[in-house]
Amino acid sequence: MSVGQHLIVEKKDGIAILTLNRASKLNAMSPEMVCGLVDAWDEIGDDDDVRVALVTGAGDRAFSVGGDFDRLTPILNGSKAPEDEWQARVLKEDLLPKMNMRHFPHHKPVICAIKGFCLAGGFEFVLSTDIRVASDTAVFGIPEVQLGLMPGTTPTVLPRQVPYAKAMELILTGDLIDAQQALEIGLVNYVLPVGRVMEKAMEIAARIARNGPLAVQKSKEIALHTRGMRVEDAYEVEWQAATEILATDDVKEGVQAFREKREPNFKNR
């Protein structure tokens, strides 16, 4: 288990649980948190024992309300020079795309457990995750345009994940929607009472962690990389990937376990 002031990372039974840990600030993303998330993704990618990641926010009031206006936004817009190592690193290494898992070499699934406010950069972060469980108190929005800002990630990603007209309404008005509306447009998978959100997210994570890790990761990779391809080209990429997985030891173990009516012991090879 690794613990940081603004991000807590725990590993258990093949699941890495990442907690945005600034409940008093509605889990606003500080430079420390951004650096911690980037480092966590690297660590998770290199750890074969981790099969799936689960991200949540501390407390019940917010998943995250986005970037910290006092410590993160000023260095990004150039109105303030970096004052510590965290701010300097965010600026020097361009960490926001990495925090949102763009162009990462691994494709481990990421589940998000969302309670309360999920706004701006918090909303944008959620778009980089694969499966989302929200509380019935959750509120979603991209209010940047109301402040004269352009939202990052969202104009590119959101119209690919929910109906175009609803995506554009959210992006261009900056208005908020509740959890039920998010469910109706397909932004989240489940809406549950606050007390059941982590339970459901962990249930899904545990189910994924029992599956063949190479097959899971390759399936995610193909789903991401074939978006926008001609269907004929996508099928060819998919078939090559399936052939590659078919030759792994994990497939042999999975078939043998099925025949023996036992849980498979996948070795990630």
Side-chain angles (χ1 to χ4, degrees), residues 6-226:
H6 292 179
L7 180 73
I8 299 174
V9 181
E10 304 169 271
K11 297 178 183 178
K12 180 181 179 182
D13 299 329
I15 304 169
I17 304 169
L18 288 69
T19 304
L20 311 182
N21 191 38
R22 299 187 77 204
S24 64
K25 298 289 186 180
L26 300 180
N27 298 317
M29 294 176 173
S30 64
E32 293 96 318
M33 188 184 291
V34 171
C35 292
L37 283 165
V38 170
D39 293 341
W41 295 137
D42 282 331
E43 182 181 337
I44 288 166
D46 292 337
D47 189 344
D48 286 343
D49 291 332
V50 174
R51 306 290 176 85
V52 58
L54 192 163
V55 187
T56 192
D60 294 340
R61 296 175 60 205
F63 171 74
S64 175
V65 293
D68 188 317
F69 276 155
D70 295 323
R71 302 204 57 244
L72 184 62
T73 306
I75 63 168
L76 295 177
N77 65 20
S79 62
K80 182 189 283 189
E83 297 176 341
D84 57 40
E85 60 179 303
W86 307 108
Q87 292 180 333
R89 185 182 170 197
V90 168
L91 198 60
K92 181 179 180 180
E93 299 181 29
D94 190 25
L95 294 187
L96 292 187
K98 295 179 182 179
M99 179 191 76
N100 286 328
M101 295 170 276
R102 288 191 218 161
H103 312 304
F104 261 58
H106 64 82
H107 294 92
K108 296 186 178 181
V110 181
I111 298 168
C112 205
I114 305 158
K115 295 177 283 186
F117 292 108
C118 181
L119 308 178
F123 184 108
E124 292 152 16
F125 177 88
V126 165
L127 295 180
S128 65
T129 66
D130 302 301
I131 299 172
R132 303 144 195 177
V133 182
S135 71
D136 52 14
T137 61
V139 177
F140 298 85
I142 321 154
E144 282 93 330
V145 292
Q146 297 180 1
L147 304 177
L149 299 168
M150 178 180 167
T153 300
T154 315
T156 300
V157 177
L158 188 60
R160 299 171 187 240
Q161 296 191 7
V162 304
Y164 176 82
K166 294 305 297 184
M168 296 311 294
E169 181 180 358
L170 286 168
I171 293 167
L172 301 179
T173 66
D175 290 341
L176 309 184
I177 60 172
D178 61 26
Q180 188 58 41
Q181 291 171 295
L183 180 66
E184 289 170 358
I185 65 173
L187 181 64
V188 301
N189 299 75
Y190 300 94
V191 173
L192 298 168
V194 171
R196 292 194 56 211
V197 169
M198 277 298 289
E199 175 188 349
K200 182 63 176 180
M202 285 294 292
E203 175 189 316
I204 298 169
R207 182 67 191 87
I208 293 173
R210 294 199 300 271
N211 294 336
L214 296 178
V216 165
Q217 291 170 48
K218 185 60 72 172
S219 295
K220 175 175 174 177
E221 179 183 349
I222 296 305
L224 291 175
H225 289 185
T226 58

